PDB file of all heavy atoms in Angstrom:
ATOM      1  N   THR K  13       8.791  -8.882  -0.397  1.00 93.00           N
ATOM      2  CA  THR K  13       7.477  -8.441   0.062  1.00 93.00           C
ATOM      3  C   THR K  13       7.527  -6.991   0.529  1.00 93.00           C
ATOM      4  O   THR K  13       8.217  -6.662   1.494  1.00 93.00           O
ATOM      5  CB  THR K  13       6.972  -9.322   1.204  1.00 93.00           C
ATOM      6  OG1 THR K  13       7.028 -10.694   0.801  1.00 93.00           O
ATOM      7  CG2 THR K  13       5.552  -8.955   1.583  1.00 93.00           C
ATOM      8  N   GLY K  14       6.776  -6.131  -0.158  1.00 96.00           N
ATOM      9  CA  GLY K  14       6.786  -4.720   0.200  1.00 96.00           C
ATOM     10  C   GLY K  14       5.444  -4.065  -0.008  1.00 96.00           C
ATOM     11  O   GLY K  14       4.584  -4.565  -0.743  1.00 96.00           O
ATOM     12  N   TYR K  15       5.261  -2.912   0.641  1.00 97.00           N
ATOM     13  CA  TYR K  15       4.020  -2.150   0.603  1.00 97.00           C
ATOM     14  C   TYR K  15       4.365  -0.687   0.376  1.00 97.00           C
ATOM     15  O   TYR K  15       5.296  -0.161   0.987  1.00 97.00           O
ATOM     16  CB  TYR K  15       3.255  -2.311   1.914  1.00 97.00           C
ATOM     17  CG  TYR K  15       2.927  -3.750   2.252  1.00 97.00           C
ATOM     18  CD1 TYR K  15       3.886  -4.583   2.836  1.00 97.00           C
ATOM     19  CD2 TYR K  15       1.671  -4.282   1.969  1.00 97.00           C
ATOM     20  CE1 TYR K  15       3.594  -5.915   3.129  1.00 97.00           C
ATOM     21  CE2 TYR K  15       1.371  -5.604   2.267  1.00 97.00           C
ATOM     22  CZ  TYR K  15       2.339  -6.416   2.846  1.00 97.00           C
ATOM     23  OH  TYR K  15       2.055  -7.720   3.134  1.00 97.00           O
ATOM     24  N   VAL K  16       3.590  -0.021  -0.487  1.00 98.00           N
ATOM     25  CA  VAL K  16       3.809   1.388  -0.786  1.00 98.00           C
ATOM     26  C   VAL K  16       2.459   2.092  -0.726  1.00 98.00           C
ATOM     27  O   VAL K  16       1.469   1.612  -1.288  1.00 98.00           O
ATOM     28  CB  VAL K  16       4.432   1.585  -2.185  1.00 98.00           C
ATOM     29  CG1 VAL K  16       4.793   3.055  -2.394  1.00 98.00           C
ATOM     30  CG2 VAL K  16       5.672   0.706  -2.353  1.00 98.00           C
ATOM     31  N   CYS K  17       2.406   3.246  -0.040  1.00 98.00           N
ATOM     32  CA  CYS K  17       1.143   3.979   0.085  1.00 98.00           C
ATOM     33  C   CYS K  17       1.318   5.402  -0.430  1.00 98.00           C
ATOM     34  O   CYS K  17       2.439   5.920  -0.500  1.00 98.00           O
ATOM     35  CB  CYS K  17       0.643   3.992   1.530  1.00 98.00           C
ATOM     36  SG  CYS K  17       1.631   5.004   2.665  1.00 98.00           S
ATOM     37  N   GLY K  18       0.179   6.020  -0.776  1.00 98.00           N
ATOM     38  CA  GLY K  18       0.268   7.372  -1.291  1.00 98.00           C
ATOM     39  C   GLY K  18      -1.073   8.050  -1.423  1.00 98.00           C
ATOM     40  O   GLY K  18      -2.085   7.609  -0.863  1.00 98.00           O
ATOM     41  N   PHE K  19      -1.078   9.124  -2.173  1.00 97.00           N
ATOM     42  CA  PHE K  19      -2.292   9.895  -2.383  1.00 97.00           C
ATOM     43  C   PHE K  19      -3.275   9.091  -3.240  1.00 97.00           C
ATOM     44  O   PHE K  19      -2.924   8.078  -3.835  1.00 97.00           O
ATOM     45  CB  PHE K  19      -1.967  11.222  -3.039  1.00 97.00           C
ATOM     46  CG  PHE K  19      -1.233  12.186  -2.133  1.00 97.00           C
ATOM     47  CD1 PHE K  19      -0.745  13.379  -2.623  1.00 97.00           C
ATOM     48  CD2 PHE K  19      -1.032  11.898  -0.792  1.00 97.00           C
ATOM     49  CE1 PHE K  19      -0.074  14.275  -1.806  1.00 97.00           C
ATOM     50  CE2 PHE K  19      -0.372  12.786   0.049  1.00 97.00           C
ATOM     51  CZ  PHE K  19       0.115  13.977  -0.461  1.00 97.00           C
ATOM     52  N   GLY K  20      -4.533   9.575  -3.289  1.00 96.00           N
ATOM     53  CA  GLY K  20      -5.536   8.874  -4.056  1.00 96.00           C
ATOM     54  C   GLY K  20      -5.942   7.550  -3.454  1.00 96.00           C
ATOM     55  O   GLY K  20      -6.414   6.663  -4.172  1.00 96.00           O
ATOM     56  N   ALA K  21      -5.779   7.400  -2.116  1.00 96.00           N
ATOM     57  CA  ALA K  21      -6.120   6.150  -1.418  1.00 96.00           C
ATOM     58  C   ALA K  21      -5.380   4.955  -2.002  1.00 96.00           C
ATOM     59  O   ALA K  21      -5.896   3.841  -2.024  1.00 96.00           O
ATOM     60  CB  ALA K  21      -7.630   5.914  -1.442  1.00 96.00           C
ATOM     61  N   VAL K  22      -4.140   5.175  -2.443  1.00 97.00           N
ATOM     62  CA  VAL K  22      -3.357   4.114  -3.070  1.00 97.00           C
ATOM     63  C   VAL K  22      -2.560   3.341  -2.024  1.00 97.00           C
ATOM     64  O   VAL K  22      -1.824   3.932  -1.216  1.00 97.00           O
ATOM     65  CB  VAL K  22      -2.394   4.689  -4.128  1.00 97.00           C
ATOM     66  CG1 VAL K  22      -1.362   3.656  -4.553  1.00 97.00           C
ATOM     67  CG2 VAL K  22      -3.175   5.175  -5.332  1.00 97.00           C
ATOM     68  N   ILE K  23      -2.701   2.029  -2.025  1.00 97.00           N
ATOM     69  CA  ILE K  23      -1.821   1.143  -1.269  1.00 97.00           C
ATOM     70  C   ILE K  23      -1.602  -0.089  -2.139  1.00 97.00           C
ATOM     71  O   ILE K  23      -2.555  -0.800  -2.483  1.00 97.00           O
ATOM     72  CB  ILE K  23      -2.402   0.779   0.121  1.00 97.00           C
ATOM     73  CG1 ILE K  23      -1.555  -0.316   0.795  1.00 97.00           C
ATOM     74  CG2 ILE K  23      -3.862   0.412   0.057  1.00 97.00           C
ATOM     75  CD1 ILE K  23      -0.183   0.117   1.197  1.00 97.00           C
ATOM     76  N   ILE K  24      -0.359  -0.317  -2.546  1.00 97.00           N
ATOM     77  CA  ILE K  24      -0.018  -1.431  -3.426  1.00 97.00           C
ATOM     78  C   ILE K  24       0.990  -2.335  -2.729  1.00 97.00           C
ATOM     79  O   ILE K  24       1.756  -1.898  -1.865  1.00 97.00           O
ATOM     80  CB  ILE K  24       0.538  -0.944  -4.775  1.00 97.00           C
ATOM     81  CG1 ILE K  24       1.739  -0.012  -4.574  1.00 97.00           C
ATOM     82  CG2 ILE K  24      -0.552  -0.259  -5.581  1.00 97.00           C
ATOM     83  CD1 ILE K  24       2.389   0.442  -5.874  1.00 97.00           C
ATOM     84  N   GLN K  25       0.949  -3.618  -3.112  1.00 95.00           N
ATOM     85  CA  GLN K  25       1.787  -4.626  -2.464  1.00 95.00           C
ATOM     86  C   GLN K  25       2.472  -5.475  -3.521  1.00 95.00           C
ATOM     87  O   GLN K  25       1.907  -5.749  -4.578  1.00 95.00           O
ATOM     88  CB  GLN K  25       0.926  -5.511  -1.559  1.00 95.00           C
ATOM     89  CG  GLN K  25       1.702  -6.538  -0.748  1.00 95.00           C
ATOM     90  CD  GLN K  25       1.758  -7.906  -1.420  1.00 95.00           C
ATOM     91  OE1 GLN K  25       1.038  -8.154  -2.380  1.00 95.00           O
ATOM     92  NE2 GLN K  25       2.609  -8.776  -0.928  1.00 95.00           N
ATOM     93  N   THR K  26       3.710  -5.857  -3.251  1.00 94.00           N
ATOM     94  CA  THR K  26       4.440  -6.767  -4.128  1.00 94.00           C
ATOM     95  C   THR K  26       4.953  -7.949  -3.331  1.00 94.00           C
ATOM     96  O   THR K  26       5.316  -7.809  -2.152  1.00 94.00           O
ATOM     97  CB  THR K  26       5.612  -6.065  -4.833  1.00 94.00           C
ATOM     98  OG1 THR K  26       6.281  -7.000  -5.693  1.00 94.00           O
ATOM     99  CG2 THR K  26       6.628  -5.517  -3.834  1.00 94.00           C
ATOM    100  N   SER K  27       4.986  -9.106  -3.961  1.00 91.00           N
ATOM    101  CA  SER K  27       5.570 -10.299  -3.336  1.00 91.00           C
ATOM    102  C   SER K  27       6.708 -10.853  -4.170  1.00 91.00           C
ATOM    103  O   SER K  27       7.174 -11.964  -3.918  1.00 91.00           O
ATOM    104  CB  SER K  27       4.493 -11.376  -3.126  1.00 91.00           C
ATOM    105  OG  SER K  27       3.876 -11.710  -4.354  1.00 91.00           O
ATOM    106  N   ASP K  28       7.158 -10.063  -5.176  1.00 91.00           N
ATOM    107  CA  ASP K  28       8.262 -10.514  -6.027  1.00 91.00           C
ATOM    108  C   ASP K  28       9.280  -9.403  -6.253  1.00 91.00           C
ATOM    109  O   ASP K  28       9.866  -9.294  -7.319  1.00 91.00           O
ATOM    110  CB  ASP K  28       7.735 -11.058  -7.350  1.00 91.00           C
ATOM    111  CG  ASP K  28       6.860 -10.051  -8.107  1.00 91.00           C
ATOM    112  OD1 ASP K  28       6.889  -8.853  -7.755  1.00 91.00           O
ATOM    113  OD2 ASP K  28       6.145 -10.472  -9.023  1.00 91.00           O
ATOM    114  N   GLY K  29       9.496  -8.580  -5.238  1.00 94.00           N
ATOM    115  CA  GLY K  29      10.518  -7.550  -5.318  1.00 94.00           C
ATOM    116  C   GLY K  29      10.175  -6.379  -6.205  1.00 94.00           C
ATOM    117  O   GLY K  29      11.064  -5.608  -6.581  1.00 94.00           O
ATOM    118  N   GLY K  30       8.885  -6.240  -6.569  1.00 96.00           N
ATOM    119  CA  GLY K  30       8.464  -5.105  -7.368  1.00 96.00           C
ATOM    120  C   GLY K  30       8.249  -5.402  -8.834  1.00 96.00           C
ATOM    121  O   GLY K  30       7.898  -4.496  -9.601  1.00 96.00           O
ATOM    122  N   ASP K  31       8.418  -6.673  -9.257  1.00 93.00           N
ATOM    123  CA  ASP K  31       8.151  -7.011 -10.653  1.00 93.00           C
ATOM    124  C   ASP K  31       6.663  -6.877 -10.963  1.00 93.00           C
ATOM    125  O   ASP K  31       6.276  -6.428 -12.046  1.00 93.00           O
ATOM    126  CB  ASP K  31       8.622  -8.431 -10.963  1.00 93.00           C
ATOM    127  CG  ASP K  31      10.138  -8.546 -10.993  1.00 93.00           C
ATOM    128  OD1 ASP K  31      10.804  -7.509 -11.181  1.00 93.00           O
ATOM    129  OD2 ASP K  31      10.649  -9.658 -10.824  1.00 93.00           O
ATOM    130  N   THR K  32       5.809  -7.295 -10.017  1.00 93.00           N
ATOM    131  CA  THR K  32       4.364  -7.130 -10.173  1.00 93.00           C
ATOM    132  C   THR K  32       3.798  -6.583  -8.875  1.00 93.00           C
ATOM    133  O   THR K  32       4.380  -6.758  -7.800  1.00 93.00           O
ATOM    134  CB  THR K  32       3.668  -8.462 -10.513  1.00 93.00           C
ATOM    135  OG1 THR K  32       3.921  -9.408  -9.468  1.00 93.00           O
ATOM    136  CG2 THR K  32       4.172  -9.014 -11.828  1.00 93.00           C
ATOM    137  N   TRP K  33       2.631  -5.927  -8.980  1.00 94.00           N
ATOM    138  CA  TRP K  33       2.019  -5.266  -7.832  1.00 94.00           C
ATOM    139  C   TRP K  33       0.549  -5.632  -7.739  1.00 94.00           C
ATOM    140  O   TRP K  33      -0.131  -5.814  -8.751  1.00 94.00           O
ATOM    141  CB  TRP K  33       2.150  -3.748  -7.949  1.00 94.00           C
ATOM    142  CG  TRP K  33       3.575  -3.271  -7.927  1.00 94.00           C
ATOM    143  CD1 TRP K  33       4.406  -3.137  -8.993  1.00 94.00           C
ATOM    144  CD2 TRP K  33       4.326  -2.893  -6.774  1.00 94.00           C
ATOM    145  NE1 TRP K  33       5.632  -2.692  -8.576  1.00 94.00           N
ATOM    146  CE2 TRP K  33       5.618  -2.531  -7.218  1.00 94.00           C
ATOM    147  CE3 TRP K  33       4.032  -2.809  -5.417  1.00 94.00           C
ATOM    148  CZ2 TRP K  33       6.614  -2.099  -6.361  1.00 94.00           C
ATOM    149  CZ3 TRP K  33       5.029  -2.373  -4.555  1.00 94.00           C
ATOM    150  CH2 TRP K  33       6.297  -2.026  -5.022  1.00 94.00           C
ATOM    151  N   THR K  34       0.047  -5.717  -6.505  1.00 91.00           N
ATOM    152  CA  THR K  34      -1.357  -5.941  -6.215  1.00 91.00           C
ATOM    153  C   THR K  34      -1.933  -4.694  -5.562  1.00 91.00           C
ATOM    154  O   THR K  34      -1.338  -4.157  -4.633  1.00 91.00           O
ATOM    155  CB  THR K  34      -1.548  -7.137  -5.267  1.00 91.00           C
ATOM    156  OG1 THR K  34      -1.029  -8.323  -5.878  1.00 91.00           O
ATOM    157  CG2 THR K  34      -3.021  -7.348  -4.948  1.00 91.00           C
ATOM    158  N   GLU K  35      -3.079  -4.240  -6.071  1.00 92.00           N
ATOM    159  CA  GLU K  35      -3.769  -3.115  -5.447  1.00 92.00           C
ATOM    160  C   GLU K  35      -4.552  -3.630  -4.241  1.00 92.00           C
ATOM    161  O   GLU K  35      -5.402  -4.500  -4.376  1.00 92.00           O
ATOM    162  CB  GLU K  35      -4.715  -2.461  -6.443  1.00 92.00           C
ATOM    163  CG  GLU K  35      -4.028  -1.927  -7.686  1.00 92.00           C
ATOM    164  CD  GLU K  35      -5.035  -1.466  -8.706  1.00 92.00           C
ATOM    165  OE1 GLU K  35      -6.014  -0.803  -8.327  1.00 92.00           O
ATOM    166  OE2 GLU K  35      -4.849  -1.782  -9.894  1.00 92.00           O
ATOM    167  N   MET K  36      -4.275  -3.093  -3.063  1.00 94.00           N
ATOM    168  CA  MET K  36      -4.947  -3.528  -1.851  1.00 94.00           C
ATOM    169  C   MET K  36      -6.185  -2.672  -1.590  1.00 94.00           C
ATOM    170  O   MET K  36      -6.296  -1.553  -2.094  1.00 94.00           O
ATOM    171  CB  MET K  36      -3.984  -3.477  -0.661  1.00 94.00           C
ATOM    172  CG  MET K  36      -2.716  -4.283  -0.861  1.00 94.00           C
ATOM    173  SD  MET K  36      -1.665  -4.331   0.607  1.00 94.00           S
ATOM    174  CE  MET K  36      -2.565  -5.521   1.622  1.00 94.00           C
ATOM    175  N   THR K  37      -7.109  -3.212  -0.805  1.00 92.00           N
ATOM    176  CA  THR K  37      -8.352  -2.507  -0.519  1.00 92.00           C
ATOM    177  C   THR K  37      -8.312  -1.915   0.881  1.00 92.00           C
ATOM    178  O   THR K  37      -7.643  -2.440   1.780  1.00 92.00           O
ATOM    179  CB  THR K  37      -9.552  -3.450  -0.639  1.00 92.00           C
ATOM    180  OG1 THR K  37      -9.424  -4.513   0.310  1.00 92.00           O
ATOM    181  CG2 THR K  37      -9.638  -4.038  -2.032  1.00 92.00           C
ATOM    182  N   THR K  38      -9.061  -0.816   1.068  1.00 94.00           N
ATOM    183  CA  THR K  38      -9.158  -0.151   2.361  1.00 94.00           C
ATOM    184  C   THR K  38     -10.590   0.331   2.565  1.00 94.00           C
ATOM    185  O   THR K  38     -11.384   0.374   1.615  1.00 94.00           O
ATOM    186  CB  THR K  38      -8.218   1.070   2.462  1.00 94.00           C
ATOM    187  OG1 THR K  38      -8.778   2.147   1.696  1.00 94.00           O
ATOM    188  CG2 THR K  38      -6.834   0.745   1.932  1.00 94.00           C
ATOM    189  N   ASP K  39     -10.903   0.710   3.796  1.00 92.00           N
ATOM    190  CA  ASP K  39     -12.215   1.306   4.065  1.00 92.00           C
ATOM    191  C   ASP K  39     -12.151   2.828   4.061  1.00 92.00           C
ATOM    192  O   ASP K  39     -13.057   3.497   4.534  1.00 92.00           O
ATOM    193  CB  ASP K  39     -12.779   0.795   5.397  1.00 92.00           C
ATOM    194  CG  ASP K  39     -11.932   1.208   6.599  1.00 92.00           C
ATOM    195  OD1 ASP K  39     -10.884   1.855   6.397  1.00 92.00           O
ATOM    196  OD2 ASP K  39     -12.307   0.884   7.736  1.00 92.00           O
ATOM    197  N   GLN K  40     -11.065   3.401   3.501  1.00 92.00           N
ATOM    198  CA  GLN K  40     -10.881   4.852   3.439  1.00 92.00           C
ATOM    199  C   GLN K  40     -10.626   5.287   2.007  1.00 92.00           C
ATOM    200  O   GLN K  40      -9.973   4.582   1.238  1.00 92.00           O
ATOM    201  CB  GLN K  40      -9.678   5.266   4.290  1.00 92.00           C
ATOM    202  CG  GLN K  40      -9.880   5.124   5.777  1.00 92.00           C
ATOM    203  CD  GLN K  40     -10.383   6.408   6.407  1.00 92.00           C
ATOM    204  OE1 GLN K  40     -10.533   7.419   5.737  1.00 92.00           O
ATOM    205  NE2 GLN K  40     -10.663   6.359   7.693  1.00 92.00           N
ATOM    206  N   GLN K  41     -11.154   6.458   1.658  1.00 92.00           N
ATOM    207  CA  GLN K  41     -10.815   7.102   0.390  1.00 92.00           C
ATOM    208  C   GLN K  41     -10.127   8.424   0.712  1.00 92.00           C
ATOM    209  O   GLN K  41     -10.646   9.505   0.479  1.00 92.00           O
ATOM    210  CB  GLN K  41     -12.071   7.311  -0.451  1.00 92.00           C
ATOM    211  CG  GLN K  41     -12.699   6.035  -0.952  1.00 92.00           C
ATOM    212  CD  GLN K  41     -11.761   5.259  -1.866  1.00 92.00           C
ATOM    213  OE1 GLN K  41     -11.187   5.820  -2.801  1.00 92.00           O
ATOM    214  NE2 GLN K  41     -11.591   3.977  -1.587  1.00 92.00           N
ATOM    215  N   ASP K  42      -8.947   8.332   1.266  1.00 94.00           N
ATOM    216  CA  ASP K  42      -8.218   9.488   1.770  1.00 94.00           C
ATOM    217  C   ASP K  42      -6.832   9.498   1.148  1.00 94.00           C
ATOM    218  O   ASP K  42      -6.466   8.619   0.363  1.00 94.00           O
ATOM    219  CB  ASP K  42      -8.146   9.403   3.301  1.00 94.00           C
ATOM    220  CG  ASP K  42      -7.873  10.756   3.948  1.00 94.00           C
ATOM    221  OD1 ASP K  42      -7.596  11.727   3.226  1.00 94.00           O
ATOM    222  OD2 ASP K  42      -7.926  10.831   5.183  1.00 94.00           O
ATOM    223  N   LEU K  43      -6.043  10.485   1.517  1.00 96.00           N
ATOM    224  CA  LEU K  43      -4.641  10.541   1.131  1.00 96.00           C
ATOM    225  C   LEU K  43      -3.836   9.797   2.188  1.00 96.00           C
ATOM    226  O   LEU K  43      -3.865  10.164   3.363  1.00 96.00           O
ATOM    227  CB  LEU K  43      -4.168  11.992   1.017  1.00 96.00           C
ATOM    228  CG  LEU K  43      -5.027  12.927   0.167  1.00 96.00           C
ATOM    229  CD1 LEU K  43      -4.419  14.325   0.156  1.00 96.00           C
ATOM    230  CD2 LEU K  43      -5.182  12.400  -1.243  1.00 96.00           C
ATOM    231  N   PHE K  44      -3.117   8.763   1.797  1.00 98.00           N
ATOM    232  CA  PHE K  44      -2.333   7.981   2.742  1.00 98.00           C
ATOM    233  C   PHE K  44      -0.938   8.591   2.865  1.00 98.00           C
ATOM    234  O   PHE K  44      -0.283   8.882   1.865  1.00 98.00           O
ATOM    235  CB  PHE K  44      -2.254   6.530   2.304  1.00 98.00           C
ATOM    236  CG  PHE K  44      -3.598   5.839   2.245  1.00 98.00           C
ATOM    237  CD1 PHE K  44      -3.841   4.819   1.338  1.00 98.00           C
ATOM    238  CD2 PHE K  44      -4.624   6.233   3.085  1.00 98.00           C
ATOM    239  CE1 PHE K  44      -5.079   4.197   1.282  1.00 98.00           C
ATOM    240  CE2 PHE K  44      -5.867   5.619   3.045  1.00 98.00           C
ATOM    241  CZ  PHE K  44      -6.092   4.594   2.130  1.00 98.00           C
ATOM    242  N   ARG K  45      -0.476   8.767   4.111  1.00 97.00           N
ATOM    243  CA  ARG K  45       0.748   9.532   4.361  1.00 97.00           C
ATOM    244  C   ARG K  45       1.947   8.695   4.788  1.00 97.00           C
ATOM    245  O   ARG K  45       3.070   8.986   4.387  1.00 97.00           O
ATOM    246  CB  ARG K  45       0.479  10.588   5.445  1.00 97.00           C
ATOM    247  CG  ARG K  45      -0.646  11.549   5.166  1.00 97.00           C
ATOM    248  CD  ARG K  45      -0.397  12.446   3.975  1.00 97.00           C
ATOM    249  NE  ARG K  45       0.867  13.135   3.999  1.00 97.00           N
ATOM    250  CZ  ARG K  45       1.052  14.390   3.614  1.00 97.00           C
ATOM    251  NH1 ARG K  45       0.017  15.109   3.208  1.00 97.00           N
ATOM    252  NH2 ARG K  45       2.236  14.930   3.624  1.00 97.00           N
ATOM    253  N   ALA K  46       1.741   7.711   5.655  1.00 98.00           N
ATOM    254  CA  ALA K  46       2.891   7.001   6.223  1.00 98.00           C
ATOM    255  C   ALA K  46       2.502   5.569   6.531  1.00 98.00           C
ATOM    256  O   ALA K  46       1.327   5.255   6.767  1.00 98.00           O
ATOM    257  CB  ALA K  46       3.388   7.701   7.490  1.00 98.00           C
ATOM    258  N   ILE K  47       3.513   4.676   6.569  1.00 98.00           N
ATOM    259  CA  ILE K  47       3.264   3.256   6.788  1.00 98.00           C
ATOM    260  C   ILE K  47       4.419   2.658   7.580  1.00 98.00           C
ATOM    261  O   ILE K  47       5.580   3.067   7.432  1.00 98.00           O
ATOM    262  CB  ILE K  47       3.088   2.538   5.427  1.00 98.00           C
ATOM    263  CG1 ILE K  47       2.582   1.104   5.610  1.00 98.00           C
ATOM    264  CG2 ILE K  47       4.364   2.565   4.621  1.00 98.00           C
ATOM    265  CD1 ILE K  47       2.172   0.459   4.299  1.00 98.00           C
ATOM    266  N   ASP K  48       4.095   1.710   8.464  1.00 96.00           N
ATOM    267  CA  ASP K  48       5.115   0.992   9.228  1.00 96.00           C
ATOM    268  C   ASP K  48       4.522  -0.343   9.664  1.00 96.00           C
ATOM    269  O   ASP K  48       3.302  -0.527   9.648  1.00 96.00           O
ATOM    270  CB  ASP K  48       5.580   1.806  10.439  1.00 96.00           C
ATOM    271  CG  ASP K  48       6.990   1.425  10.883  1.00 96.00           C
ATOM    272  OD1 ASP K  48       7.553   0.456  10.335  1.00 96.00           O
ATOM    273  OD2 ASP K  48       7.533   2.095  11.789  1.00 96.00           O
ATOM    274  N   PHE K  49       5.386  -1.279  10.069  1.00 94.00           N
ATOM    275  CA  PHE K  49       4.955  -2.631  10.415  1.00 94.00           C
ATOM    276  C   PHE K  49       5.627  -3.096  11.689  1.00 94.00           C
ATOM    277  O   PHE K  49       6.771  -2.714  11.991  1.00 94.00           O
ATOM    278  CB  PHE K  49       5.333  -3.621   9.304  1.00 94.00           C
ATOM    279  CG  PHE K  49       4.410  -3.624   8.124  1.00 94.00           C
ATOM    280  CD1 PHE K  49       4.464  -2.610   7.185  1.00 94.00           C
ATOM    281  CD2 PHE K  49       3.486  -4.635   7.942  1.00 94.00           C
ATOM    282  CE1 PHE K  49       3.622  -2.607   6.092  1.00 94.00           C
ATOM    283  CE2 PHE K  49       2.632  -4.654   6.854  1.00 94.00           C
ATOM    284  CZ  PHE K  49       2.699  -3.634   5.925  1.00 94.00           C
ATOM    285  N   ASN K  50       4.900  -3.947  12.448  1.00 91.00           N
ATOM    286  CA  ASN K  50       5.559  -4.796  13.432  1.00 91.00           C
ATOM    287  C   ASN K  50       5.527  -6.221  12.893  1.00 91.00           C
ATOM    288  O   ASN K  50       5.314  -6.425  11.696  1.00 91.00           O
ATOM    289  CB  ASN K  50       4.911  -4.660  14.820  1.00 91.00           C
ATOM    290  CG  ASN K  50       3.459  -5.100  14.853  1.00 91.00           C
ATOM    291  OD1 ASN K  50       2.962  -5.777  13.949  1.00 91.00           O
ATOM    292  ND2 ASN K  50       2.751  -4.719  15.900  1.00 91.00           N
ATOM    293  N   SER K  51       5.710  -7.235  13.729  1.00 86.00           N
ATOM    294  CA  SER K  51       5.846  -8.596  13.221  1.00 86.00           C
ATOM    295  C   SER K  51       4.531  -9.202  12.763  1.00 86.00           C
ATOM    296  O   SER K  51       4.530 -10.207  12.030  1.00 86.00           O
ATOM    297  CB  SER K  51       6.467  -9.489  14.293  1.00 86.00           C
ATOM    298  OG  SER K  51       5.618  -9.587  15.426  1.00 86.00           O
TER     299      SER K  51
END
């Protein structure tokens, strides 16, 4: 399970180690810079 963010309001998620990806939705159309998680 992983998450990757970037420019073009891109945030994608995988639940199989990166074999397939899901495009996630946000309420922003901005450049995404950094990501971190707690539990």
